[in-house]
């Protein structure tokens, strides 16, 4: 399946792409567009203003994808808190790692293209998932 999002990937789009590929569509192919009108007819848009899989209410796109696909894994919702604060910085969640994560993603997007950013951030999000999974199981930060 093809998925489309805005070019210039930052935290929410990178996290959504990882989420979609890992938990919704393992064969996902991503297309990046400069203008929402350029979304191909055969692609599902995400993190594009005005589409279903985007910001809604106080939710960032990552949270919207979790809700639309009924993904209830508490580890994914912990990642959602990180993504939300990195993207929106509204104090809704306690995610002290969010500013550093946001800076790293924005900096990466300055020196790499969108496809490469997704290639590099996939293992990073896999690692964050494992870190938060262990933290949840242990009830403390894993060593």
């Amino acid at each position: 399946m093809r998925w489309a999002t805005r070019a210039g990937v930052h935290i929410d789009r990178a996290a959504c792409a990882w989420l979609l590929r890992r938990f919704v569509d393992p064969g996902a192919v991503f297309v990046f567009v400069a203008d929402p009108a350029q979304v191909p007819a055969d692609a599902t848009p995400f993190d594009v203003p005005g589409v279903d899989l985007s910001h809604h209410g106080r939710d960032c796109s990552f949270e919207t994808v979790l809700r639309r696909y009924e993904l209830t894994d508490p580890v994914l919702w912990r990642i959602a808190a990180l993504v939300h604060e990195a993207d929106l910085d509204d104090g809704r969640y306690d995610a002290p790692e969010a500013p550093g994560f946001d800076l790293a993603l924005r900096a990466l997007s300055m020196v790499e293209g969108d496809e490469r950013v997704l290639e590099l951030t996939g293992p990073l999000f896999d690692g964050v998932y494992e870190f938060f999974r262990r933290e949840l199981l242990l009830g403390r930060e894993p060593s």
Side-chain angles (χ1 to χ4, degrees):
M1 184 170 174
R2 290 194 343 149
W3 301 83
T5 193
R6 293 174 291 134
V9 170
H10 287 176
I11 183 72
D12 203 10
R13 282 168 268 161
C16 284
W18 170 80
L19 179 65
L20 290 166
R21 183 172 280 150
R22 179 115 192 260
F23 294 94
V24 176
D25 177 13
V29 173
F30 297 100
V31 176
F32 306 96
V33 298
D35 185 312
Q38 297 172 329
V39 172
D42 66 339
T44 301
F46 66 96
D47 202 37
V48 173
V51 304
D52 185 49
L53 297 176
S54 195
H55 290 221
H56 289 280
R58 295 182 59 206
D59 289 348
C60 66
S61 297
F62 190 91
E63 294 166 295
T64 299
V65 171
L66 289 177
R67 293 185 199 289
R68 294 296 187 271
Y69 289 95
E70 300 178 353
L71 299 171
T72 59
D73 180 342
V75 179
L76 291 177
W77 280 97
R78 175 64 179 89
I79 294 172
L82 183 162
V83 173
H84 180 102
E85 289 305 319
D87 191 40
L88 301 175
D89 190 22
D90 63 3
R92 182 176 178 185
Y93 299 104
D94 179 24
E97 66 283 338
F101 215 82
D102 181 45
L103 183 145
L105 267 284
R106 285 189 293 136
L108 187 60
S109 72
M110 291 178 181
V111 295
E112 298 290 347
D114 291 328
E115 289 184 26
R116 182 78 173 132
V117 169
L118 296 190
E119 183 182 314
L120 293 170
T121 57
L124 179 61
F125 283 111
D126 284 341
V128 169
Y129 181 89
E130 185 59 25
F131 184 92
F132 287 154
R133 188 186 74 77
R134 290 182 190 189
E135 183 178 66
L136 185 66
L137 289 172
L138 295 170
R140 61 173 170 75
E141 187 172 297
S143 54

